[in-house]
Amino acid sequence: MPKGCALSDLSNITDNAFEVPDFSKLTAPDLQHKPRILMLYGSLRERSYSRFLTFEGQRLLEAFGAEVRVFHASGLPLPNDAPDTHPKVQELREAMLWSEGQVWTSPERHGAMSAVLKSQIDWIPLPGGAIRPTQGRTLAVMQVSGGSQSFNAVNQMRILGRWMRMVTIPNQSSVAKAFQEFDEAGRMKPSSYYDRIVDVMEELVKFTLINRGVAGYLTSRYSERKEAAAKLEERVGLKSI
């Protein structure tokens, strides 16, 4: 294996799209506003444990110094069943663009995340082809289950977050037998499950602080720079005709 090589040894590389990672560009600017976290949850039930869990996370995030918005999906139409100008769709999309990090919380339904949560994600547009509005934002995932502990929903949400090009934090939460973990007022009882929620929210804020301001550089990709350079060259060529 070569110990080092010059671009002249890489015949497949497009020179003007190739960049050596620069540590100085990974130093976050001194942003004065609080970390902006958007929270989505996947249930419309009146007594919703995923909503209760989301609210517990909100309280912790605000205690950790974040600014938090919780999106309530009641009234959000099914994907493509209403125009993009629908007020709830616009509210969701604006909150997505506002956020620097997100929390997705879902009940497990038939071994998967709920349709309510998935429909919120499916309303997010994909402008510019591969460039997604969620790209570079941090993400934490949590789930509640009615029975024994499971990780089906959080595993699915991790896959979805990766596809949305989000920086999904290592930690996660899965609350088993959720009906036993909340009191009548919807507050979470002391437990190892609650302690894990604290861990997840703390980790999310830390990753968001590191990531914000440099997310664009972190998610800048050679293949996309190469494609952009080719399109620019084509436009310049057309203008010279």
Side-chain angles (χ1 to χ4, degrees):
M1 295 292 291
K3 293 183 179 180
C5 60
L7 284 181
S8 58
D9 295 323
L10 302 172
S11 58
N12 294 330
I13 289 292
T14 300
D15 292 3
N16 60 354
F18 186 84
E19 295 181 359
V20 177
D22 184 350
F23 181 76
S24 66
K25 294 181 180 179
L26 294 171
T27 303
D30 185 18
L31 301 178
Q32 298 301 315
H33 65 269
K34 296 180 178 181
R36 298 167 177 164
I37 308 296
L38 171 64
M39 307 188 80
L40 309 179
Y41 64 94
S43 175
L44 301 178
R45 295 175 59 185
E46 182 176 352
R47 185 168 175 81
S48 164
Y49 297 111
S50 60
R51 185 173 69 250
F52 293 160
L53 186 58
T54 295
F55 287 161
E56 291 294 345
Q58 178 185 9
R59 295 181 184 99
L60 289 164
L61 287 170
E62 290 173 344
F64 283 128
E67 181 181 357
V68 181
R69 292 187 189 179
V70 178
F71 179 78
H72 303 283
S74 180
L76 181 70
L78 290 173
N80 302 321
D81 196 34
D84 293 353
T85 54
H86 189 284
K88 289 297 290 188
V89 175
Q90 290 297 307
E91 178 189 349
L92 175 59
R93 291 184 175 183
E94 190 278 329
M96 279 278 176
L97 294 174
W98 167 87
S99 69
E100 296 170 320
Q102 297 182 19
V103 180
W104 298 350
T105 305
S106 177
E108 183 170 318
R109 295 281 181 86
H110 303 294
M113 75 176 80
S114 72
V116 174
L117 182 65
K118 184 59 164 59
S119 67
Q120 294 173 68
I121 305 303
D122 287 346
W123 266 116
I124 305 307
L126 302 178
I131 306 301
R132 295 162 175 81
T134 49
Q135 181 164 314
R137 288 162 171 77
T138 53
L139 172 66
V141 293
M142 303 193 294
Q143 78 167 74
V144 293
S145 302
S148 59
Q149 191 173 41
S150 169
F151 300 95
N152 290 324
V154 287
N155 287 341
Q156 275 198 327
M157 289 186 285
R158 281 190 174 277
I159 292 172
L160 183 56
R162 182 180 64 198
W163 193 87
M164 302 295 283
R165 296 187 178 177
M166 303 181 78
V167 181
T168 308
I169 68 171
N171 216 337
Q172 63 186 24
S173 168
S174 175
V175 179
K177 297 181 179 178
F179 60 91
Q180 296 180 349
E181 300 302 321
F182 295 86
D183 62 23
E184 287 302 313
R187 295 304 304 272
M188 198 169 184
K189 301 173 184 177
S191 68
S192 60
Y193 289 133
Y194 179 80
D195 293 345
R196 175 59 66 89
I197 306 305
V198 181
D199 291 347
V200 173
M201 296 302 104
E202 179 183 11
E203 189 171 289
L204 176 65
V205 171
K206 289 177 179 177
F207 271 75
T208 304
L209 287 171
I210 292 172
N211 185 65
R212 66 181 192 154
V214 298
Y217 183 68
L218 281 171
T219 56
S220 174
R221 301 182 178 190
Y222 164 77
S223 58
E224 293 170 355
R225 293 194 300 271
K226 178 182 176 182
E227 182 180 358
K231 289 181 178 178
L232 176 61
E233 184 176 346
E234 182 181 356
R235 288 198 302 272
V236 172
L238 289 174
K239 289 179 181 179
S240 63
I241 295 175

